[in-house]
Amino acid sequence: MRKPKGTEVDGFSPNGKNYGGPAESEEHKKLKEWVAARPHDVGLRKSFGKGDLESSLLSGDTVDVLFSDGNDFVTVEVKSCRSNDEDFRRGIYQCVKYRKVKEAEHFPNKVNVQAVLVTERELNSELKARARLLKVRFKCVSVNKK
């Protein structure tokens, strides 16, 4: 399977390996910080409070923003105005992976973990349908003006 090409720049992994791009774009960073500070604006309960940026999972993955209210978790992947449909598709699958890994981290205890993809452009109909099937919520916001 070939690696899809996209335009979002995610930067480096926690172990310092470069997975295809230079440092994180300013747009991605700004969107991530905006989401972390505004859980209610992306559809979360106010009880979640401010999110944690670049939260590490035991799989070695890094979640853009992680929210927790002590009982429930929400993993958020952000895709800025630089992203294209391939980035959005990848983001949907990142959300699925992060949700399952976070659940596994708490096993055998059962925890409620939701996944949200936040974009700055609407998903196309095929991606919306795929996200719904995979139980990934999605929200479009305007943070970086193009």
Side-chain angles (χ1 to χ4, degrees):
M1 180 175 182
R2 71 172 179 78
K3 182 179 177 187
K5 295 187 186 230
T7 57
E8 180 71 279
V9 182
D10 289 324
F12 295 88
S13 71
N15 65 5
K17 289 186 181 178
N18 183 341
Y19 286 111
E24 167 181 63
S25 73
E26 282 302 312
E27 294 89 350
H28 188 264
K29 182 179 178 183
K30 186 176 175 184
L31 178 58
K32 193 171 56 174
E33 290 170 349
W34 186 92
V35 167
R38 295 168 181 82
H40 193 264
D41 288 342
V42 293
L44 304 183
R45 298 185 312 266
K46 288 186 181 182
S47 64
F48 279 103
K50 188 173 185 209
D52 294 324
L53 295 171
E54 298 294 318
S55 185
S56 296
L57 299 176
L58 293 177
S59 62
D61 294 296
T62 303
V63 178
D64 285 336
V65 185
L66 178 68
F67 291 96
S68 176
D69 68 357
N71 300 310
D72 298 327
F73 297 91
V74 179
T75 63
V76 180
E77 179 66 18
V78 305
K79 297 295 180 186
S80 78
C81 59
R82 290 181 173 235
S83 289
N84 62 21
D85 287 349
E86 286 301 317
D87 289 324
F88 292 168
R89 182 181 317 280
R90 186 169 58 93
I92 291 168
Y93 287 100
Q94 286 173 292
C95 286
V96 170
K97 179 166 88 168
Y98 299 162
R99 181 180 62 220
K100 289 300 185 183
V101 169
K102 194 66 182 165
E103 289 172 353
E105 287 180 353
H106 292 272
F107 187 81
N109 298 317
K110 187 167 173 66
V111 293
N112 181 34
V113 183
Q114 297 174 43
V116 179
L117 176 64
V118 176
T119 63
E120 290 194 282
R121 183 172 53 80
E122 289 291 338
L123 300 180
N124 66 35
S125 59
E126 185 269 326
L127 292 174
K128 283 181 180 179
R130 181 155 308 271
R132 285 184 187 112
L133 285 170
L134 295 171
K135 296 182 173 115
V136 172
R137 292 187 10 229
F138 49 91
K139 175 79 174 178
C140 181
V141 300
S142 180
V143 173
N144 296 289
K145 306 293 183 209
K146 240 187 155 177

